[in-house]
Amino acid sequence: MKLLLPYFAFILSLTLSINLHAQEIIKLPLDTQPHGINIISDSQYQQIKYNGYTMAQLNSIANDEELLYDIFGSPTSKNVSSFGSINYKFTGLDLGYYAQVEDPYISGITATSRSALTVKVLGESIRVEDSFDLMKQKFGSDLKIKPSTLRAPDYILIFDMEVNEWDGMLIYFDASTNQVKEITYYINP
């Protein structure tokens, strides 16, 4: 029995050492990635596709609900505000149109479900539940991220166009899983 005690102590210390070393190797994206916004050209930004359609194409069908439903499915609700916005709720996706202007446009899209939206940026597809490691494989290891001030400890991957950093596409990551939990497109009026 006295001979087994040093053996168990050795195994315990080895296990603790391996666990501590493994924790040092696993680095969180917020600790290792450069911070900032990923700026792409205006033409690259205009080519971002949402379920296969550019924003210009989606804006052109603002008054055709049947086409909108073909792209995003049947809405679970629709709300028309007194100041001209129309908000649609689909399963796992919210979409807002600003309709009381000469050229109606999408003011925002928010997806929280993998099946609700596929976004294609720079030729690469992004969906809810994709991992940050997959994003690095697709967009390079120097991909910039930002801490989320409103949803700490989560972090954001942002794509903005070089001529207009006021609008953009935000990809929110859950800091505990390092997976996409929300994709948001927004435009400031």
Side-chain angles (χ1 to χ4, degrees), residues 61-73 88:
I61 64 164
N63 294 320
D64 190 337
E65 286 186 339
E66 191 172 311
L67 283 175
L68 184 68
Y69 299 167
D70 285 346
I71 296 167
F72 295 107
Y88 298 92

Side-chain angles (χ1 to χ4, degrees), residues 4-176:
L4 289 178
L5 188 58
Y7 176 75
F8 285 120
F10 172 75
I11 295 296
L12 180 62
S13 68
L14 183 62
T15 303
L16 287 173
S17 174
I18 290 171
N19 284 338
L20 289 174
H21 183 66
Q23 289 175 1
E24 289 176 12
I25 293 173
I26 299 170
K27 300 286 186 185
L28 300 176
L30 277 174
D31 297 332
T32 60
Q33 290 301 121
H35 287 199
I37 296 172
N38 300 283
I39 304 295
I40 58 178
S41 73
D42 183 43
S43 63
Q44 290 169 322
Y45 186 82
Q46 300 306 327
Q47 290 305 308
I48 295 174
K49 293 189 175 183
Y50 302 84
N51 281 359
Y53 296 85
T54 65
M55 199 49 63
Q57 292 169 324
L58 290 172
N59 287 338
S60 73
I61 64 164
N63 294 320
D64 190 337
E65 286 186 339
E66 191 172 311
L67 283 175
L68 184 68
Y69 299 167
D70 285 346
I71 296 167
F72 295 107
S74 297
T76 57
S77 69
K78 174 184 171 185
N79 181 25
V80 180
S81 75
S82 60
F83 60 88
S85 70
I86 302 171
N87 293 306
Y88 298 92
K89 288 197 179 293
F90 299 89
T91 302
L93 184 127
D94 292 345
L95 184 140
Y97 265 113
Y98 191 65
Q100 284 194 325
V101 290
E102 187 175 324
D103 295 319
Y105 61 90
I106 292 178
S107 56
I109 298 174
T110 300
T112 56
S113 166
R114 184 165 180 81
S115 62
L117 184 70
T118 300
V119 177
K120 198 166 208 176
V121 180
L122 302 173
E124 299 291 347
S125 295
I126 302 169
R127 296 172 64 186
V128 170
E129 296 179 12
D130 284 353
S131 71
F132 187 76
D133 285 339
L134 181 59
M135 295 297 112
K136 286 191 340 185
Q137 288 174 15
K138 291 180 177 188
F139 300 106
S141 61
D142 61 344
L143 196 61
K144 297 175 187 166
I145 60 175
K146 292 186 75 123
S148 174
T149 55
L150 298 175
R151 301 177 188 190
D154 295 344
Y155 56 98
I156 312 167
L157 166 60
I158 302 172
F159 286 101
D160 277 343
M161 68 176 117
E162 62 190 355
V163 296
N164 178 6
E165 291 185 39
W166 300 106
D167 304 333
M169 189 181 64
L170 309 174
I171 302 164
Y172 287 91
F173 286 86
D174 183 320
S176 65

